[in-house]
């Protein structure tokens, strides 16, 4: 599944999700998902990704907030017209859940701004019709 956010931000975020069957243990309520994120800079100046915020919600309504510096140990600077892509993962107690959040970036003039990440679904294949 792929989603993207376009809420007027010069930074567009698209996400593709994958169920990782080989690492999941449904009998122990452990469902592993990977997600690949592409961050595209549509502005006329460079932007450095400073931090991230995620809200992860499982099908039981359990919410986990994740925040920290950069992504996957990096704080990339994305030039005008450039993209940055990375892959990470999440573990849920249920076969379906959602993620949403934002990245905080700083442009070359030192101004910080948030790039929203629209809600996207994590789902074990064939669980939803």
């Amino acid at each position: 599944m792929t989603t993207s956010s376009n809420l007027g931000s010069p930074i567009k975020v698209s996400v593709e999700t994958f169920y990782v069957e080989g690492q999941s243990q449904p009998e122990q309520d452990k469902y592993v998902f990977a997600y690949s994120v592409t961050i595209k800079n549509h502005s006329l100046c460079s932007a450095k990704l400073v931090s991230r915020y995620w809200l992860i919600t499982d099908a039981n309504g359990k919410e986990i907030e994740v925040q920290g510096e950069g992504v996957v140990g990096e704080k990339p600077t994305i030039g005008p017209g450039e993209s940055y892509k990375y892959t990470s993962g999440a573990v849920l107690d249920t076969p379906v859940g959602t993620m949403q959040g934002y990245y905080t970036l700083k442009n070359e003039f030192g101004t910080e701004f948030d790039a929203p990440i629209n809600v996207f679904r994590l789902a074990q294949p064939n669980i939803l019709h």
Side-chain angles (χ1 to χ4, degrees):
M1 179 173 134
T2 302
T3 65
S4 64
S5 58
N6 296 317
L7 302 172
S9 172
I11 303 294
K12 308 300 182 207
V13 180
S14 59
V15 181
E16 188 174 2
T17 62
F18 311 90
Y19 176 65
V20 186
E21 185 173 4
Q23 294 179 21
S24 296
Q25 298 173 314
E27 66 283 353
Q28 296 177 9
D29 295 329
K30 179 183 174 187
Y31 301 87
V32 180
F33 298 91
Y35 53 92
S36 290
V37 177
T38 302
I39 305 165
K40 173 92 173 167
N41 183 353
H42 289 277
S43 74
L44 299 176
C45 61
S46 294
K48 180 176 183 170
L49 196 154
V50 178
S51 64
R52 71 191 181 288
Y53 169 82
W54 289 109
L55 175 62
I56 306 167
T57 307
D58 72 13
N60 296 325
K62 175 182 167 187
E63 294 183 343
I64 299 170
E65 291 182 285
V66 178
Q67 47 193 329
E69 293 187 4
V71 291
V72 294
E74 297 182 7
K75 292 184 181 179
T77 297
I78 308 165
E82 295 181 348
S83 295
Y84 174 81
K85 185 173 182 175
Y86 75 95
T87 301
S88 191
V91 180
L92 301 181
D93 296 337
T94 60
V96 178
T98 61
M99 287 180 67
Q100 62 187 314
Y102 59 87
Y103 297 123
T104 299
L105 297 101
K106 185 183 290 189
N107 69 19
E108 57 195 54
F109 305 106
T111 303
E112 286 194 357
F113 62 97
D114 292 337
I117 306 162
N118 288 343
V119 64
F120 59 91
R121 183 174 26 231
L122 303 169
Q124 182 181 22
N126 303 316
I127 199 80
L128 299 173
H129 300 285

